Amino acid sequence: MERVVSIDRVNNLVKKSDFISRDLSWLKFNHRVLDQARHLDRNIFERLKFMAITASNLDEFFMIRIGSLYNYIDYGKERIDYSGLRELPFRKKLLTEAQDFVRAQNEYFIKRLRPLFAENQFKIAKISDLDEDQKEKVKNYFRKTIFPMLTPMVYDSYHTFPILMNKLLIFGVVTVSQTDKKDQKKLSFIQVPQNLPRFYEIEHNGEILFVPIEEIIREHIAKLFRNIEIQSVNLFRIIRNGDFTLEESDDIEANFLEELKRKLKTRKTGRVVRIEVEETCDRWMLRILKNRWEIDEDNVFRAPEGGMIDLTGLWSIVNHTEFKDRMPDRHPQVPPLSYSEQGETDIYEVLDDRDILLHHPYNSIEPLLELLDRAADDPDVLSIKLTIYRLAKESRVTNALLRAAENGKHISVLFEVKARFDEENNMREARRLQKAGCFVIYGISSFKTHTKLMLIVRQVEEKVTRYVHMSSGNYNEDTARLYTDLGLLTTNEQVCNDVSEFFNAITGHSIPTIYRNLITAPRDMRQQLIELIRKEADNARQGKASGIVIKINSLEDRETIAELYAASQAGVKIKLIIRGICCLRPNRPGLSENIEVGSIVGDFLEHSRIYYFHNDNDPILYSGSADVMVRSFDRRIESLFLVQNSLLKQQVINILRYNLRDNVNAYIMNEDGSYTIKESTGEPPFNIHKEFYEVTLDDIQDAKLF
């Protein structure tokens, strides 16, 4: 039996700690995403999009982070969070915060968003809202399409408890049989088929009625229980633990993939960590579920009247063809500043002349795809090497590599088949490449390959040229329109040597002595970044110019945070732009007075990583795939690349400068871990998600951070 946990004592411990819990910080991030649904300058479809994102975010949070916590609880392992809390008090705190979030989410959806549906020509309709003809259509749809797919599963003394699927809508139906005196009350489960549309659509007087599939089933559920009294019909949904750790396999080619498949299947039967129910659900049924899954009221999330279980279903409305013209038009992408003649010149000639910095999504991914397409068909290209973490569903990258293999080129691809929730797609694409004759590597032992690198080798007569691409983002042309990322295309010999050595290390058995332009993990990334931080602290102590600006997704590594605290105490001005998790406390007296933390959440997902060290007025700049996290430093293959070219350095400095200027999408992190919207202080709106489309060479020339 879990001991009683005092939430006041828990809150006091959290407040005292010099570090903020990763998971509590993540919940604060999802509040910032929910804020996007509150923006009155967005139309209803944009706002519903952000509401759906918060719901899918929360599902993943429970599957992975709460699931991970339960791995400790269920197997009796000790865990002390950054906030200083042990497993059970931390569980209480985390679930209490999650309950608060869900209440805010439901309240805003019901009170502020649903009332706007009618004026936008649609409605999430109840059966009672329909006229007789419409009800007849719904009845026919149930009879012909839905009814044959439904399978009631009774649970009683004669039938075992069925396996209920993760993230599906499920009905729990409590029935009574007058003929069975021994066991009158029974519980049956009906899972809503996942391959049915979430809504049945009816067009009426210029309005689209979205009738939820669950309401159609509820209306006609008696058809499945003939001559039986139905006491209650209860809709619910469960989230199961999806956190797993792959064991190292000796036989990478066969056993590794089989092990992965087995682990993927456990996501369907892992322990239940969350249950969404209707506010009026049957208490007898809920007691059975809680006992069965060993959860308590903290794990139960109630959807109030007018709410909706599983708000990810809103995507069906957001993506509806009828409303395509209601979503804002995307700004046309602009050429990179260092490649203004994009599309007019030969990509080889341009790269032989200069480096290109791609800033997505403002710059298209097309120059990279153009280079890859050219290389696939170019008889002078000898080989292509590439790391892949996530791909688009209809990937031009895969198609180019297949074509290159068919043209007899040597193709080496390191596929990260452990990329969370993309495992099956990655395995499928990897097999396609392998069948075409590509040399495919399915990850490196227990490390997850997160680095983004490409190397093309081309020989014209006696001259061999290597073309390298290094990036913070994936080789995914879909997300390149939605995520902000940096990519560098270069033929610089020093950089190419480093990348060649790095590929030899990750595809073979090589341990390079030193890289001149790369910082890599799991080798020495943490230590090199710490040394750069310490150098700034030394400069500050000596009265030299110092400063640090870091833009990343997450800051969690305790050792690095401790060094940032020490640098702050030495007098270094530190500005952090962190989209999501931040375990550092800014502005704490005696600890971090010189550290500011901001977060930008808006139309694009901030995904680029940039590390700036002022270095006594001779800035050192890195970009790449790695965040400041334990997993990035110790359990992933990552890389950061040095930005050397003076023009590109100014461009990256300006990217940081614009991020710091943003007063539309920006939040300021407070010492207690909360966030407040950044005030404009009388300045005109500055929205980086618009301003970066307009930036010119003149804008970046004098860009400074300190």
Side-chain angles (χ1 to χ4, degrees), residues 246 249 251-265 417 427 431:
L246 283 171
S249 173
D251 186 355
I252 288 294
E253 295 303 320
N255 292 346
F256 182 82
L257 292 176
E258 291 307 312
E259 175 76 5
L260 183 58
K261 287 180 182 177
R262 287 195 296 273
K263 293 291 185 181
L264 285 174
K265 287 179 182 176
V417 291
M427 283 193 288
R431 284 205 181 92

Side-chain angles (χ1 to χ4, degrees), residues 334 337 359 362 484 486 549 551 575-577 598-601 606 608 610 612 649-668 678 683-706:
V334 296
L337 291 178
H359 187 198
Y362 315 103
T484 72
L486 289 183
V549 183
K551 180 186 184 298
K575 300 175 183 180
L576 306 176
I577 308 154
S599 176
I600 291 180
V601 180
E606 291 296 327
S608 55
I610 304 171
Y612 171 97
K649 282 180 76 169
Q650 280 303 115
Q651 189 177 345
V652 177
I653 289 169
N654 189 65
I655 290 170
L656 292 174
R657 181 174 70 125
Y658 273 29
N659 272 263
L660 294 169
R661 283 183 63 188
D662 189 294
N663 57 17
V664 173
N665 309 291
Y667 295 78
I668 301 300
K678 183 178 180 179
E683 298 174 353
F686 192 86
N687 181 351
I688 57 169
H689 295 157
K690 294 179 179 178
E691 295 293 337
F692 278 126
Y693 286 111
E694 310 296 333
V695 69
T696 66
L697 286 171
D698 288 340
D699 294 324
I700 71 171
Q701 292 302 325
D702 299 320
K704 290 181 181 178
L705 296 171
F706 295 99

Side-chain angles (χ1 to χ4, degrees), residues 73 319 321 362 430 453:
I73 294 171
N319 294 328
T321 53
Y362 315 103
L453 297 173

Side-chain angles (χ1 to χ4, degrees), residues 394-524:
E394 301 295 330
S395 173
R396 278 180 62 184
V397 172
T398 301
N399 292 337
L401 294 173
L402 289 169
R403 210 164 61 250
E406 290 167 2
N407 290 333
K409 305 180 191 315
H410 173 77
I411 309 298
S412 297
V413 182
L414 199 158
F415 249 104
E416 184 43 76
V417 291
K418 299 189 293 294
R420 186 177 293 152
F421 305 121
D422 271 358
E423 299 96 339
E424 293 176 4
N425 183 55
N426 280 7
M427 283 193 288
R428 182 173 57 252
E429 295 297 281
R431 284 205 181 92
R432 286 180 66 200
L433 293 170
Q434 200 167 30
K435 286 179 181 177
C438 301
F439 175 53
V440 176
I441 304 157
Y442 296 99
I444 305 297
S445 66
S446 59
F447 298 112
K448 184 178 280 191
T449 305
H450 191 249
T451 185
K452 283 80 179 183
L453 297 173
M454 182 179 74
L455 173 66
I456 295 170
V457 180
R458 182 173 184 254
Q459 181 175 8
V460 179
E461 296 178 350
E462 299 301 315
K463 184 182 179 184
V464 175
T465 306
R466 288 174 293 184
Y467 300 87
V468 160
H469 177 258
M470 305 174 290
S471 177
S472 66
N474 300 305
Y475 291 104
N476 184 325
E477 52 268 41
D478 292 341
T479 57
R481 293 298 304 265
L482 304 171
Y483 294 9
T484 72
D485 274 305
L486 289 183
L488 177 64
L489 285 164
T490 184
T491 57
N492 179 290
E493 275 299 299
Q494 285 187 6
V495 175
C496 293
N497 284 335
D498 279 359
V499 173
S500 292
E501 289 281 3
F502 192 51
F503 269 111
N504 290 338
I506 62 178
T507 63
H509 192 145
S510 174
I511 305 175
T513 306
I514 189 169
Y515 296 114
R516 301 185 66 175
N517 296 276
L518 290 181
I519 299 176
T520 64
R523 180 175 154 172
D524 54 9

Side-chain angles (χ1 to χ4, degrees), residues 11 39 50 143 156 160 235 262 307 342 349 378 382 394 426 439-440 459 467 475 483 556 558 560 608 648 665 701:
N11 288 338
H39 279 214
F50 281 106
R143 181 171 54 84
D156 59 18
T160 60
L235 185 69
R262 287 195 296 273
Q342 179 186 336
E349 292 179 5
D378 184 352
L382 306 177
E394 301 295 330
N426 280 7
F439 175 53
V440 176
Q459 181 175 8
Y467 300 87
Y475 291 104
Y483 294 9
E556 175 252 3
R558 188 190 290 263
T560 311
S608 55
L648 303 193
N665 309 291
Q701 292 302 325

Side-chain angles (χ1 to χ4, degrees), residues 31 49 151 164 194 213 224 233 275 363 384 407 449 468 546:
H31 274 286
K49 176 189 76 173
T151 304
L164 302 178
Q194 60 184 337
I213 189 77
L224 295 153
V233 179
I275 177 170
N363 305 145
I384 302 172
N407 290 333
T449 305
V468 160
S546 65

Side-chain angles (χ1 to χ4, degrees), residues 19 72 105 115 124 136 141 154 163 175 197 214 300-301 305 347 354 357 368 394 426 433 465 469 559 571 582 613 623:
F19 297 88
Y72 288 87
Q105 185 189 45
I124 296 179
E136 190 62 30
Y141 178 62
V154 67
I163 295 176
T175 56
E214 61 267 28
V300 179
F301 290 74
E305 176 68 25
I347 186 68
R354 77 195 89 128
L357 186 76
L368 171 64
E394 301 295 330
N426 280 7
L433 293 170
T465 306
H469 177 258
E559 291 182 51
C582 180
F613 303 93
S623 183

Side-chain angles (χ1 to χ4, degrees), residues 8 45 59 84 133 155 176 325 349 355 360 362 381 455 469 474 596 652 665 669 682 701:
D8 289 338
F45 303 102
D59 283 351
D133 287 344
Y155 169 57
V176 175
D325 61 344
E349 292 179 5
D355 293 349
H360 308 303
Y362 315 103
V381 167
L455 173 66
H469 177 258
N474 300 305
E596 302 171 8
V652 177
N665 309 291
M669 183 181 180
Q701 292 302 325

